[in-house]
Amino acid sequence: MHLSLTITAALACGFPVLATVPPWRFPFSNSTTSSRMLSTLSTDEVMRSTELGIISTCTSSVPTATSLSLNQQLLLAETTSDRINLLRDDSQFVFDFNRSQNESENNGEFVVANREAFPALIGTGAGMAVGRIGPCGLHKFHVHRRSAELQLVVQGRLVTEMVSGNNADGTRRVIRNEIGPYQMTPFYQGSVHTQFNPDCTNVTFVSSFASEDFGTEYMFDQLFAFSDDVIGASFGRMLAAEDVDILRREIPASVAFGVKQCLQQCDPERIW
């Protein structure tokens, strides 16, 4: 029985258990010490010593609660009450979308409430973002792989486009809408979509997600992360390697300036 417990303890700690090495040799530093101690201990005492030695070695490397971040403790909490009690200050249950953000040179900004930025979301299965897109701004093609998005315009208007996937015949349907104040549209999980501000004033919107970690992936950033040869081949060799690198450097961070017609009205100097 002791041998079984010893092997179980060793396996639980990640120690290799070899048939050629007696388990009672584990806690001792060398064979001389081992022989001397074995001569004075009963078999039960040796086996119990081994189990305690393995367990002690194992538990000494286990992280304690104080070494874990708040988010890690929240994720490991056994009950909702335990999780809530880890947030000792009532202000930890408030997220301020007015928090200052670094202004993007690309005419927009987004304030994201996910479980990293707002730990109180852990366990809710929900997230949110508030965005602003400037005049003629285009939120470039992107996806949210872990959640659908419900987007509500608060101020201004957005022209939205979404492709949710391929049809059976290989064609793709592009769903295009104009969304005004207090109107909403869904973007399905994993769908490629974009938003464009066609006006000369800012647009503000709120997006809700069914995930604490919804994530945003920009399609062109991902595409141009591949090697030049792979990208060139994907475009039918229409792009030379030097052209691929030029395009890669010109990709905006998140929001680009939009279509020529809008710029002619709002900012003629930016027309390309």
Side-chain angles (χ1 to χ4, degrees):
M1 178 177 179
H2 283 300
L3 177 59
S4 174
L5 289 173
T6 302
I7 294 174
T8 301
L11 290 173
C13 296
F15 296 153
V17 180
L18 304 179
T20 57
V21 181
W24 50 82
R25 291 283 296 277
F26 286 145
F28 308 124
S29 59
N30 55 58
S31 58
T32 302
T33 304
S34 167
S35 299
R36 184 165 56 251
M37 293 189 71
L38 284 173
S39 65
T40 60
L41 297 175
S42 68
T43 301
D44 282 352
E45 289 172 327
V46 170
M47 300 303 290
R48 187 173 294 107
S49 162
T50 301
E51 293 156 17
L52 292 174
I54 291 173
I55 294 171
S56 175
T57 301
C58 177
T59 55
S60 65
S61 62
V62 174
T64 62
T66 56
S67 69
L68 298 175
S69 69
L70 174 60
N71 281 22
Q72 290 170 331
Q73 294 179 59
L74 290 168
L75 288 166
L76 292 172
E78 294 185 353
T79 67
T80 301
S81 295
D82 291 339
R83 186 165 56 246
I84 290 175
N85 289 332
L86 286 169
L87 301 169
R88 296 179 174 84
D89 192 327
D90 289 354
S91 65
Q92 291 177 285
F93 295 89
V94 177
F95 186 85
D96 186 5
F97 284 102
N98 294 303
R99 59 177 56 186
S100 60
Q101 296 285 301
N102 293 327
E103 191 71 14
S104 170
E105 64 179 0
N106 292 317
N107 204 27
E109 65 177 355
F110 305 96
V111 184
V112 174
N114 55 23
R115 70 185 183 195
E116 179 183 20
F118 189 29
L121 287 179
I122 292 176
T124 66
M128 186 169 285
V130 171
R132 177 192 63 78
I133 300 178
C136 302
L138 174 72
H139 192 193
K140 63 186 187 180
F141 300 109
H142 61 282
V143 300
H144 308 290
R145 297 199 184 277
R146 293 180 288 278
S147 175
E149 173 185 3
L150 299 180
Q151 187 170 77
L152 170 72
V153 172
V154 177
Q155 178 184 13
R157 61 179 178 142
L158 284 174
V159 175
T160 66
E161 294 193 18
M162 172 183 65
V163 176
S164 61
N166 298 336
N167 295 322
D169 60 1
T171 61
R172 297 167 183 81
R173 179 183 175 186
V174 178
I175 300 173
R176 186 177 191 275
N177 283 296
E178 181 180 303
I179 308 299
Y182 301 103
Q183 292 183 324
M184 183 190 75
T185 190
F187 299 115
Y188 299 113
Q189 182 175 348
S191 66
V192 180
H193 56 280
T194 184
Q195 300 99 2
F196 167 59
N197 175 7
D199 297 322
C200 302
T201 56
N202 290 337
V203 61
T204 304
F205 63 86
V206 177
S207 294
S208 64
F209 300 89
S211 171
E212 306 154 12
D213 181 27
F214 47 88
T216 301
E217 302 173 19
Y218 291 104
M219 306 309 295
F220 284 123
D221 295 80
Q222 291 194 330
L223 171 62
F224 282 89
F226 289 95
S227 65
D228 294 353
D229 289 341
V230 171
I231 296 171
S234 300
F235 281 91
R237 299 296 176 186
M238 294 185 298
L239 291 176
E242 56 271 20
D243 295 330
V244 170
D245 195 50
I246 291 172
L247 287 173
R248 183 183 288 115
R249 292 197 303 267
E250 292 298 321
I251 297 174
S254 58
V255 179
F257 283 101
V259 299
K260 187 174 183 179
Q261 182 179 1
C262 180
L263 290 174
Q264 285 177 332
Q265 178 182 354
C266 301
D267 196 351
E269 293 182 2
R270 285 191 175 271
I271 296 178
W272 53 90

